[in-house]
Amino acid sequence: MTLDRAARRQLADTALAIVVGALVMTAAAFDDGTAPADYVLMALASLALAAYRRAPREVLAVSTVTTTAYVLHAHPGPLAALPVLGAVHTAARAGHRGVAALASAAFLAGFVATGPTRQEIVERTLLLAGWFLCALVTGLADRNWQAYLRQTEQRALEAERTREEAALRRAGEERLRIARELHDSLTHSISIVKLQAGVAVHLARKRGEEVPPALLAIQAAGGEAMRELRATLEVLRTDEPTGTPALLVERARAAGLAVELSVSGDERPLTATVDRAAYRIVQEALTNAARHAGPAEVTVRLDYSAAELAISVDDDGGADPSRPPTPGIGLTGMRERVTALGGTLRAAPRVGGGFSVHAQLPLGVTEDVS
């Protein structure tokens, strides 16, 4: 049977605890003053390490108390500090630096009390102090390294997402360019041909002459070519996904994001450019909230007025106004869309915490769809 990742981790942690316990007990077996109760204390201190991922502070407390009690009772050598060293390292790795330092000081104080001579006290204390300092430093270094790895992975995912968006945007821009070129170069010429054929047919009928079949075929073909060209241009102009902000909100809810939608004003159909911009703004804002806001609540508000559409997407996540984010391709593309429509955009952390996106889109923008 194949074990999942969590089971393999727990198995490795348990094996580590057993190894630490075996080392401490082996060293204790050579001390004449070790009593059965001391073995119990060592077993508790060592086996507690198996739960360091789930409860690092609790493990640190159990290991420190039991090991200190063992040291005070049996007066063992420095190797007895091994369970506490492991607990200090894991607590510092989890970010509990202060608690780890206090536990180190408490154990060292107990160990100092067992020294029979001044010289032995100084030597053992300095040795253990160096060990505990190393445990704290390596724990913090490991924590920083893990944070760096997570940040690097996050940046790689963000870069991949932005590359895909940039590629889609470039493809859409190319489709629009082709549509404009076809519109400018072909529509006019086909219209002229159709018009001239229609005039010739009209004059022939007016004079009572028989209309040549070729002329009728040219007129019919011109009309059919215009219809097919318009259909082709519509396909090329479709560079944005179809949907509504309400659909985006439903998808975000299905993905686990706590989001609410409110609409005020006279909701009505929008022009294609404004509708696409509104869709993209809400999509990008919800994506950023899902990726960066953590377990936050998000509110999407659409306010329709006579002259503009106001879009607000606010979350109560951990964004800090003193550390504004660096705009990525998503925010930059959002701002470019709003600016192209003559609107305004504000995207920044809120004073009370969280992030806010507010866009105002004029509703008088039209586009050529012929």
Side-chain angles (χ1 to χ4, degrees):
M1 183 178 66
T2 303
L3 297 176
D4 58 13
R5 184 178 181 182
R8 290 196 299 270
R9 280 186 172 182
Q10 185 57 57
L11 186 61
D13 296 342
T14 303
L16 175 63
I18 293 174
V19 169
V20 171
L23 290 174
V24 176
M25 289 186 180
T26 301
F30 292 93
D31 294 334
D32 297 334
T34 305
D38 296 325
Y39 287 104
V40 175
L41 292 173
M42 284 185 288
L44 291 175
S46 301
L47 293 179
L49 294 175
Y52 78 88
R53 295 184 191 271
R54 298 190 302 272
R57 286 183 296 183
E58 290 77 2
V59 169
L60 178 62
V62 171
S63 295
T64 303
V65 171
T66 53
T67 307
T68 303
Y70 162 59
V71 168
L72 291 174
H73 180 264
H75 299 187
L79 191 61
L82 195 57
V84 186
L85 284 170
V88 167
H89 170 81
T90 55
R93 182 176 181 270
H96 308 301
R97 294 171 292 182
V99 177
L102 288 176
S104 301
F107 177 80
L108 287 174
F111 196 86
V112 166
T114 65
T117 65
R118 183 181 299 273
Q119 181 179 359
E120 190 172 358
I121 290 175
V122 173
E123 290 177 353
R124 289 188 173 187
T125 303
L126 289 178
L127 175 63
L128 286 179
W131 287 4
F132 278 104
L133 181 61
C134 289
L136 282 169
V137 171
T138 54
L140 293 176
D142 191 16
R143 174 179 173 83
N144 292 334
W145 175 249
Q146 293 298 327
Y148 171 76
L149 291 179
R150 288 192 297 270
Q151 187 178 22
T152 302
E153 182 180 0
Q154 185 74 12
R155 287 178 177 175
L157 293 174
E158 182 70 17
E160 181 67 23
R161 184 178 70 88
T162 52
R163 277 197 300 270
E164 291 177 358
E165 291 181 353
L168 290 175
R169 187 177 296 112
R170 286 193 297 269
E173 291 172 353
E174 182 65 16
R175 283 196 296 268
L176 287 177
R177 188 190 66 79
I178 295 173
R180 293 190 187 100
E181 291 292 333
L182 289 175
H183 180 273
D184 294 340
S185 62
L186 296 180
T187 305
H188 178 72
S189 299
I190 295 175
S191 298
I192 294 297
V193 171
K194 184 174 179 294
L195 177 62
Q196 294 291 342
V199 170
V201 169
H202 174 71
L203 292 177
R205 287 173 176 169
K206 186 176 181 179
R207 291 193 297 264
E209 300 175 356
E210 182 180 358
V211 180
L215 197 58
L216 294 174
I218 292 173
Q219 185 182 32
E224 182 64 24
M226 287 293 295
R227 287 190 294 271
E228 292 182 358
L229 181 60
R230 287 195 178 95
T232 302
L233 294 180
E234 287 300 321
V235 173
L236 291 173
R237 286 177 183 270
T238 308
D239 65 326
E240 300 286 347
T242 57
T244 63
L247 180 60
L248 290 173
V249 169
E250 290 300 324
R251 290 175 180 171
R253 287 175 183 163
L257 187 65
V259 54
E260 294 294 333
L261 172 66
S262 64
V263 181
S264 60
D266 183 17
E267 185 175 3
R268 57 193 182 277
L270 305 174
T271 61
T273 51
V274 176
D275 188 55
R276 287 196 294 264
Y279 182 94
R280 280 302 195 191
I281 290 169
V282 175
Q283 182 186 47
E284 182 65 28
L286 290 177
T287 299
N288 289 338
R291 294 173 65 87
H292 305 300
E297 295 184 357
V298 185
T299 302
V300 179
R301 290 188 295 273
L302 304 178
D303 183 15
Y304 291 82
S305 65
E308 67 180 17
L309 168 64
I311 304 172
S312 298
V313 182
D314 302 317
D315 66 68
D316 57 358
D320 188 351
S322 64
R323 298 192 301 272
T326 301
I329 291 182
L331 286 178
T332 302
M334 188 190 304
R335 191 174 301 279
E336 290 175 351
R337 289 176 184 273
V338 174
T339 303
L341 295 175
T344 59
L345 175 72
R346 188 187 69 84
R350 299 194 301 171
V351 176
F355 199 82
S356 175
V357 174
H358 182 74
Q360 292 177 294
L361 304 177
L363 297 183
V365 178
T366 59
E367 65 177 353
D368 179 18
V369 294
S370 63

